[in-house]
Amino acid sequence: MNRIVLLMETGRPAVKEAAAWFAAHGDKVYIGVQEMMPTQRLEQAEYLVFDPLVPESLAAAAETVEQADGRLDILVVGAACHPQDGEIGAGHDSAVLVDAMMRNVYGSRSTAEAFLPLLRRGMKRIAAITEIESSNSWSTGKTDLAYHASLAGLNMMGKILFNHLRPEGFTFRWYCDDGAPGGMCAADYITSGLCYDEKEPYIHSDENRLVLRDAWLREISW
């Protein structure tokens, strides 16, 4: 057994594919869910039920991992709340928008903060499995304002965590899944190394900036 990995369940097939990849490579896999999934559960993974908006629930989940493993190597966050709120400009429920932002952005941040003590004992990697539509400049979608706004917010949350934690040696991987076959899978990218030479100028290293990439390692503009 190599790494201890926690992935937040978002309903994206890429999350389960990543979990299966980690398990196949000898890693211990946790999948964090807000409700137990009655079907399509991975036998290779352990499921943690917690609400990222409830501190006591998050603390209990972190305690479970600490008691069993004493560390966490990789945390993979994502947007689990995907309301279908119609075309942009057609009128939106502000409560739906707030809920999506809270669960997808604040919930991911709260999860990261709850597991920081365990991540500091591991390989210190935080990742996200998101999509190209999270890009402000590449997005072409006209529907689901709440969801797409939260995707952009998740990227900004990643930047904030990066600025705060990179000096401690944390590394970050933001993977844009488009659902098409081919290229590098999410887990392979999340575990791979990026260009880093401590003797080079800081800005020349991909590890010293938060980069959005797709399965073909193409950089996605923010």
Side-chain angles (χ1 to χ4, degrees):
M1 191 176 295
N2 301 313
R3 295 159 295 221
I4 311 299
V5 184
L6 169 60
L7 303 100
M8 292 177 67
E9 175 63 90
T10 66
R12 301 187 72 86
V15 174
K16 284 191 171 62
E17 291 168 4
W21 187 98
F22 282 119
H25 286 75
D27 300 320
K28 182 173 182 180
V29 178
Y30 291 98
I31 296 180
V33 294
Q34 295 188 38
E35 294 181 357
M36 294 303 295
M37 303 298 179
T39 59
Q40 297 182 337
R41 290 185 62 191
L42 291 176
E43 294 182 359
Q44 310 98 311
E46 296 186 25
Y47 283 73
L48 289 175
V49 182
F50 62 87
D51 188 334
L53 301 184
V54 178
E56 296 81 5
S57 180
L58 268 176
E63 178 67 17
T64 297
V65 177
E66 180 168 19
Q67 291 296 322
D69 307 291
R71 76 178 200 279
L72 181 64
D73 292 300
I74 302 173
L75 170 66
V76 184
V77 300
C81 180
H82 190 163
Q84 312 291 318
D85 59 340
E87 187 166 339
I88 294 173
H92 302 276
D93 186 334
S94 59
V96 171
L97 177 60
V98 169
D99 184 62
M101 295 295 286
M102 286 293 291
R103 295 203 167 273
N104 293 343
V105 183
Y106 181 77
S108 292
R109 193 201 76 176
S110 297
T111 301
E113 290 180 345
F115 284 92
L116 267 182
L118 295 177
L119 285 164
R120 287 188 171 106
R121 301 175 198 166
M123 65 180 286
K124 298 182 178 180
R125 182 155 298 179
I126 298 174
I129 297 178
T130 181
E131 58 187 83
I132 293 174
E133 288 293 326
S134 71
S135 164
N136 288 321
S137 57
W138 283 39
S139 176
T140 59
K142 295 182 179 180
T143 61
D144 298 349
L145 171 65
Y147 176 65
H148 287 111
S150 71
L151 290 180
L154 183 64
N155 288 345
M156 183 54 66
M157 181 221 69
K159 279 196 170 185
I160 292 171
L161 287 179
F162 177 93
N163 291 338
H164 178 58
L165 297 172
R166 178 61 187 146
E168 292 186 35
F170 276 79
T171 53
F172 292 76
R173 301 288 183 271
W174 245 241
Y175 180 87
C176 292
D177 165 50
D178 62 5
M184 181 180 284
C185 70
D188 199 2
Y189 177 68
I190 288 170
T191 56
S192 63
L194 297 180
C195 175
Y196 177 68
D197 184 344
E198 61 182 10
K199 298 178 183 178
E200 288 288 327
Y202 194 85
I203 198 172
H204 288 180
S205 167
D206 271 0
E207 287 288 20
N208 290 324
R209 63 193 187 104
L210 187 62
V211 185
L212 310 181
R213 293 195 189 277
D214 67 7
W216 303 99
L217 299 184
R218 293 172 293 201
E219 184 169 347
I220 308 302
S221 171
W222 287 86

